[in-house]
Amino acid sequence: MVELSWEGWLVPQIADELRCSQKTVRRWLHRFNRSGLEGLEDLGGQGRKRRITEAERSRIIGLVKQTPPGRLEVQPSNDMWAPDEAGPAEWTLDALAAAARELGIQVGRSQVRRILLAEGVRWRRTRSWTRSKDPGFEGKGRGSSSSTPARPTARRWSAPTSSAR
């Protein structure tokens, strides 16, 4: 921009050539005129500041690695026990946000999601299943009998035919 201006180009011509707005060209030329080459450096500190610290982000990510407080665990006596039966049995965005708030971190569900995505944490839908050490417990085998279809078969539709009258 500065070089083109020195060559005698006008602001609208520079903006068209560089495919930016005239306001942008003027801003950079004024910065250069005011501060020289130093005016063309990045000012830094632009944009919104983070609301939570890096340490708080790490604590939220650390929560994911912990067992949720409401998850039942098999004890050596074969009893099932959860540290907090009223707590979540699995980590959801809402449960993580609530746990973070209990730690004094003011964060919402959407912020937790952004933090986890930025860290590459992936989650998947949980599947319910059971294990038992009881010798009398036996798996029930396949689902329903083969005579009962799992779902109705899809109807096949054909394109309507036109008839000449």
Side-chain angles (χ1 to χ4, degrees), residues 117-163:
L117 287 173
E119 290 297 320
V121 176
R122 295 177 46 191
W123 57 88
R124 58 180 175 248
R125 207 171 288 218
T126 58
R127 293 181 291 159
S128 297
W129 55 278
T130 318
R131 255 192 276 180
S132 176
K133 295 181 181 178
D134 182 1
F137 178 82
E138 230 182 276
K140 302 300 181 211
R142 289 186 63 226
S144 56
S145 71
S146 60
S147 64
T148 307
R151 60 181 171 199
T153 55
R155 287 180 158 172
R156 298 197 193 281
W157 296 95
S158 58
T161 57
S162 61
S163 57

Side-chain angles (χ1 to χ4, degrees), residues 8-164:
W9 290 40
L10 300 175
V11 169
Q13 293 171 319
I14 297 171
D16 288 342
E17 177 70 19
L18 300 178
R19 295 191 175 113
C20 62
S21 72
Q22 293 180 26
K23 182 178 178 181
T24 300
V25 174
R26 284 189 186 92
R27 181 180 334 119
W28 284 104
L29 291 177
H30 287 299
R31 280 179 60 178
F32 177 77
N33 290 335
R34 187 175 45 245
S35 306
L37 287 175
E38 292 175 5
L40 301 180
E41 292 180 15
D42 185 19
L43 294 178
Q46 304 295 317
R48 184 176 177 180
K49 305 289 184 238
R50 286 190 169 178
R51 290 184 352 192
I52 61 174
T53 66
E54 209 48 50
E56 290 171 330
R57 290 171 61 87
S58 295
R59 290 176 73 188
I60 291 170
I61 294 163
L63 283 173
V64 175
K65 296 179 180 180
Q66 296 176 5
T67 303
R71 180 173 290 159
L72 293 173
E73 297 176 359
V74 178
Q75 302 302 308
S77 63
N78 264 355
D79 291 334
M80 299 289 279
W81 178 81
D84 177 11
E85 292 184 14
E90 59 188 38
W91 286 125
T92 62
L93 293 175
D94 289 326
L96 285 167
R101 284 191 293 272
E102 287 175 11
L103 294 173
I105 303 170
Q106 293 306 311
V107 67
R109 167 194 169 99
S110 60
Q111 182 69 19
V112 170
R113 181 178 181 277
R114 284 191 296 272
I115 290 168
L116 296 179
L117 287 173
E119 290 297 320
V121 176
R122 295 177 46 191
W123 57 88
R124 58 180 175 248
R125 207 171 288 218
T126 58
R127 293 181 291 159
S128 297
W129 55 278
T130 318
R131 255 192 276 180
S132 176
K133 295 181 181 178
D134 182 1
F137 178 82
E138 230 182 276
K140 302 300 181 211
R142 289 186 63 226
S144 56
S145 71
S146 60
S147 64
T148 307
R151 60 181 171 199
T153 55
R155 287 180 158 172
R156 298 197 193 281
W157 296 95
S158 58
T161 57
S162 61
S163 57

